[in-house]
Amino acid sequence: MSSKIIEREIISLPEQQNKMIISGWGSDVFDKTTVEKITYLSDGLKVKGYIAYPKDNSKTYPCIIWCRGGYGNAGAIDKFTARGMFGQLASWGYCVFASQYRGNDGSQGHDDFGGDDVNDVLNLIPLADEIPQTNKNVWGIEGWSRGGMMTYLTLTKTDIFKAAIVLGGIANLRCNAEESKFMRRLYEHSLGNFTNEEFKKRCEERSIINFPEKLSRQTPLLIIHGNADERVLPHDSIDLSYKLLELNFPFRLVMLEGGDHFLKSHRQEVDEMRRKWFDRFLKN
């Protein structure tokens, strides 16, 4: 698995947006971190993404891979959002690596919605060689929505991660397709150019509910879901949790009352849970 950064640009925002970053994420995010937009090689394709790290290079920091949601350019992370979200993680004392996935944001290839593009997540790992602040022996991973699906699939392919967090994550494509109009449109757009049998097979191959035993048992998993989520329905996480209980898998499930897909009304609570989970397993 070869991968390297071939382009990198430090994100610089207009003054008004800088003030919004400070207001929304805090002064440490703006003052003490660097966020870069990058192009890296994944399976020979030029793929766009981001890296973030603390400015203090007197020590090394654990690494976190962050998996975005959405399909295609819908859900792609813009520079402003990257500066805030990834800067926040960096301000907690982590080096962050994120992919836009192949086919998106000017990347080469085609977004395969949990197929070959899972390699775009795995191929972020070697990028740590090019960031002096990284502790390359300690890795965590986090994914929201479709990024939760990408996280689950990644955890079937490597034991490198010491902690994982999934928020509003897709665990069962086939199950939700009829119950959520949003998911039906998403599936038809991303996986719909196939026969019924091919469509069914591709859905099953991307649904961790069908093979939870393949998840890395070395990776404690925090699952967070809003119980008012109308996009990825709450039972995705609940149904998976029953499977994980049967397997005696190390996990925690948190269902947030009234939480929508983006958990907007629980932001502070969610950030606190995320930080504590990563600190517990990546810094101790």
Side-chain angles (χ1 to χ4, degrees):
M1 213 177 342
S2 63
S3 179
K4 63 179 181 179
I5 302 172
I6 55 177
E7 294 177 1
R8 49 194 299 185
E9 170 197 359
I10 294 177
I11 293 176
S12 178
L13 299 173
E15 184 62 29
Q16 184 59 36
Q17 288 191 332
N18 288 336
K19 292 179 180 178
M20 293 169 66
I21 294 291
I22 295 170
S23 174
W25 283 279
S27 58
D28 282 357
V29 172
F30 180 73
D31 295 330
K32 297 182 179 181
T33 72
T34 299
V35 182
E36 300 184 34
K37 184 167 186 176
I38 65 168
T39 303
Y40 69 104
L41 287 178
S42 180
D43 296 349
L45 299 170
K46 294 179 180 179
V47 177
K48 303 294 183 179
Y50 293 98
I51 55 175
Y53 46 88
K55 288 182 179 178
D56 180 3
N57 60 6
S58 64
K59 56 185 178 179
T60 60
Y61 305 89
C63 301
I64 291 174
I65 286 178
W66 194 92
C67 299
R68 55 155 280 212
Y71 171 74
N73 287 322
I77 306 300
D78 60 28
K79 290 182 179 180
F80 172 79
T81 305
R83 186 68 185 89
M85 288 195 313
F86 304 145
Q88 180 188 52
L89 281 167
S91 76
W92 294 348
Y94 296 98
C95 295
V96 186
F97 302 82
S99 179
Q100 298 277 40
Y101 311 135
R102 59 189 62 185
N104 306 320
D105 192 30
S107 303
Q108 294 177 334
H110 171 72
D111 190 334
D112 202 23
F113 198 67
D116 291 341
D117 49 353
V118 174
N119 287 342
D120 300 340
V121 178
L122 293 165
N123 283 328
L124 291 167
I125 296 170
L127 303 188
D129 292 336
E130 302 181 45
I131 312 298
Q133 291 97 317
T134 58
N135 179 349
K136 293 175 285 187
N137 296 316
V138 184
W139 285 86
I141 186 169
E142 174 176 300
W144 293 62
S145 191
R146 175 261 181 95
M149 176 185 72
M150 301 294 281
T151 298
Y152 290 138
L153 294 173
T154 300
L155 292 176
T156 69
K157 297 179 181 298
T158 178
D159 292 328
I160 194 174
F161 298 104
K162 297 182 182 297
I165 302 175
V166 170
L167 304 101
I170 299 170
N172 191 343
L173 285 170
R174 184 181 56 190
C175 179
N176 273 350
E178 298 299 335
E179 299 176 34
S180 165
K181 293 180 181 179
F182 168 80
M183 296 303 286
R184 166 52 68 184
R185 290 196 302 271
L186 180 60
Y187 303 154
E188 289 176 346
H189 188 58
S190 59
L191 301 176
N193 297 321
F194 301 93
T195 66
N196 286 338
E197 281 303 310
E198 289 172 323
F199 179 83
K200 179 180 177 183
K201 181 173 183 289
R202 289 170 71 87
C203 286
E204 290 176 348
E205 291 173 345
R206 289 155 171 76
S207 299
I208 194 63
I209 196 78
N210 295 323
F211 43 92
E213 70 281 356
K214 293 185 178 181
L215 287 165
S216 168
R217 299 187 66 87
Q218 309 304 313
T219 310
L221 173 62
L222 171 61
I223 303 171
I224 302 174
H225 214 125
N227 61 17
D229 190 340
E230 295 181 350
R231 294 197 174 200
V232 179
L233 300 186
H235 67 63
D236 261 39
S237 294
I238 294 171
D239 292 348
L240 176 61
S241 294
Y242 281 118
K243 298 274 189 177
L244 297 179
L245 280 171
E246 292 172 4
L247 295 168
N248 196 27
F249 189 90
F251 82 102
R252 178 181 296 178
L253 171 67
V254 179
M255 302 298 296
L256 292 171
E257 64 282 1
D260 65 6
H261 186 57
F262 302 100
L263 298 171
K264 292 190 292 288
S265 61
H266 295 270
R267 179 180 169 186
Q268 185 174 352
E269 182 181 5
V270 168
D271 284 350
E272 184 177 354
M273 284 190 286
R274 293 167 59 223
R275 184 171 186 172
K276 284 183 176 179
W277 192 260
F278 280 139
D279 286 354
R280 174 184 173 187
F281 293 105
L282 303 185
K283 291 186 176 180
N284 293 325

